[in-house]
Amino acid sequence: MTTVGIRGTFFDFVDDPWKHVGNEQAAARFHQDGLMVVTDGVIKAFGPYETIAAAHPGVQVTHIKDRIIVPGFIDGHIHLPQTRVLGAYGEQLLPWLQMWVYPEEMKYKDRNYAREGVKRFLDALLASGTTTCQAFTSSSPVATEELFDEAARRNMRVIAGLTGIDRNAPADYVDTPENFYRDSKRLIAEYHNKGRNLYAITPRFAFGASPELLKACQRLKHEHPDCWVNTHISENPAECSGVLVEHPDCQDYLGVYEKFDLVGPKFSGGHGVYLSNNEFRRMSKKGAAVVFCPCSNLFLGSGLFRLGRATDPEHRVKMSFGTDVGGGNRFSMIHVLDDAYKVGMCNNTLLDGSIDPTRKDLAEAERNKLSPYRGFWSITLGGAEGLYIDDKLGNFEPGKEADFVALDPNGGPTAQPWHQSLIADGGGPRSMDEAASMLFAIMMVGDDRCVDETWVMGKRLYKKS
């Protein structure tokens, strides 16, 4: 066994900050001088340096100075084969898919192209501080194989699966329900729960899925109940209308997935911009999750996700955040928090009574405010809870996997150090509140230049040059 120690300033979470309105610090944990002991990639001990070091004499320690160490970021919704078309101009969802996305994703039938794309994809994630993702691949098994194989070589945790689509896409891209079922069965047997790989049954979206394809997904889920289900839901108005045309016996978007018994724990619906209150309540009751993708929702003009509604304590929906590259125009979960904050503030204004007094709901308005506690919880422990992997990662509890990011509070724009000096007099944070304030500055002003090191299972895989 290999045991190492990591010393530095640590910030993580033990609870959901939305449960502690007015006292969000109760959900967090801060050690100005902490030590994490890692054995074979798993956290063995964590706490104040003096206490943990005394209990583990002789451990070789790496001291990461002048950084804030947080759990590795979790991207709950991203598209591997859209890496190269990130930032494609000028269309909303459905025409954008036809013009840019499907032609690029078809290239991933070629193994050499897929292999290069996967390497660039994972490199970009690590450089952004993302250590875990739930990813869409393509309708060709090659992309899924290459992603799992390369993630295993890097020992990264990945949830992914073959994309199922048999409607409303180019003929060379769609596949049959029979082929989807057969190929998914093989991929599950080969990759699911092998190392850190986890498999998601992946109907792309109900607009692209016939009842026969969704029946194949239902069959797969019944045969492999420990697999995830990853899809899209209620992203774009034209898409939402099209889904009810394709599935006229269903009353709403969620109802399509419910009809085929796909909604429950380990179900993730990306976007959810136009989910009704009733759909939110049904998702909450069944333990399903929604993935908030603000960068994509803004870039494609899809709309404003109702963060305050999803976090209603009476009908709380599990939630993770995602970049949705390439609809999202950044790989960075820091940029996701930036845009999520702005979406939340727009919703706050819509609900505070200043525009339309009849819509006034001060409690929901407040829940739209994305503090640094709520934000960083959402891309660490909260993201893990939304994906049902919080038993494995998300914070620094002993027994969990040692994925973490060392953030440089003074990284980013030239003015960043001057701003941070307002908080901590030019030094590192001395308290939880100072650390949270510095993280908020990273979230709103910083960028990927704040990511100094990314570690996976106790090994450094990325170091900013």
Side-chain angles (χ1 to χ4, degrees), residues 24-294:
E24 294 179 11
Q25 299 91 332
R29 177 167 52 185
F30 173 74
H31 294 299
Q32 182 183 17
D33 185 14
L35 180 64
M36 180 167 59
V37 177
V38 179
T39 299
D40 292 342
V42 176
I43 300 170
K44 184 176 180 180
F46 175 67
Y49 174 78
E50 290 187 0
T51 302
I52 303 301
H56 296 83
V59 170
Q60 182 178 351
V61 174
T62 298
H63 193 176
I64 302 177
K65 299 179 180 180
D66 303 319
R67 302 291 182 259
I68 301 175
I69 302 172
V70 298
F73 301 151
I74 298 169
D75 190 332
H77 186 106
I78 189 170
H79 293 258
L80 154 68
Q82 294 178 21
T83 300
R84 200 173 184 182
V85 295
L86 182 150
Y89 169 73
E91 299 289 347
Q92 290 200 358
L93 175 65
L94 297 183
W96 175 80
L97 289 171
Q98 297 288 344
M99 180 180 295
W100 292 101
V101 171
Y102 295 141
E104 176 65 15
E105 293 197 4
M106 281 189 279
K107 297 175 185 177
Y108 279 72
K109 294 180 180 180
D110 178 85
R111 190 168 297 277
N112 289 331
Y113 193 90
R115 186 168 295 159
E116 179 182 2
V118 165
K119 290 178 180 178
R120 291 178 180 272
F121 172 78
L122 294 178
D123 285 348
L125 288 179
L126 291 169
S128 299
T130 298
T131 55
T132 295
C133 71
Q134 178 173 245
F136 289 80
T137 59
S138 77
S139 58
S140 168
V142 169
T144 305
E145 294 162 359
E146 290 298 322
L147 175 58
F148 278 137
D149 287 343
E150 182 61 24
R153 281 189 282 270
R154 303 181 191 217
N155 211 15
M156 295 176 68
R157 184 165 288 286
V158 167
I159 305 171
L162 178 69
T163 298
I165 183 168
D166 66 345
R167 287 184 175 182
N168 295 315
D172 290 342
Y173 186 76
V174 298
D175 203 356
T176 66
E178 295 77 17
N179 286 345
F180 172 74
Y181 173 80
R182 181 201 64 215
D183 290 336
S184 296
K185 288 285 287 186
R186 177 181 62 81
L187 292 166
I188 290 169
E190 187 171 350
Y191 291 107
H192 183 49
N193 274 324
K194 303 297 173 62
R196 300 185 81 196
N197 291 328
L198 299 171
Y199 198 88
I201 300 159
T202 310
R204 187 183 194 109
F205 56 172
F207 182 66
S210 68
E212 291 74 24
L213 180 65
L214 292 169
K215 286 178 184 176
C217 294
Q218 180 182 23
R219 184 180 175 190
L220 288 165
K221 182 61 177 173
H222 287 175
E223 293 170 351
H224 305 279
D226 63 330
C227 280
W228 279 248
V229 177
N230 182 30
T231 190
H232 295 79
I233 191 167
S234 299
E235 177 179 359
N236 171 277
E239 172 217 12
C240 293
S241 300
V243 164
L244 298 184
V245 172
E246 296 289 345
H247 301 275
D249 58 330
C250 297
Q251 296 299 310
D252 53 34
Y253 207 134
L254 182 65
V256 178
Y257 299 129
E258 289 175 323
K259 178 182 176 181
F260 296 95
D261 299 324
L262 298 175
V263 182
K266 297 186 179 180
F267 172 94
S268 290
H271 299 284
V273 176
Y274 296 99
L275 288 171
S276 66
N277 292 352
N278 183 263
E279 286 173 292
F280 273 125
R281 286 193 290 269
R282 282 148 52 200
M283 291 184 75
S284 173
K285 184 176 181 179
K286 294 182 179 181
V290 65
V291 188
F292 182 19
C293 304

Side-chain angles (χ1 to χ4, degrees), residues 303-338:
L304 303 178
F305 175 74
R306 295 189 296 158
L307 182 61
R309 175 57 55 179
T311 53
D312 179 355
E314 294 186 10
H315 305 286
R316 182 62 185 273
V317 178
K318 286 185 176 293
M319 180 174 55
S320 59
F321 285 20
T323 60
D324 192 36
V325 163
N329 57 326
R330 297 287 192 278
F331 272 89
S332 171
M333 296 304 293
I334 293 172
H335 281 286
V336 168
L337 294 183
D338 177 9

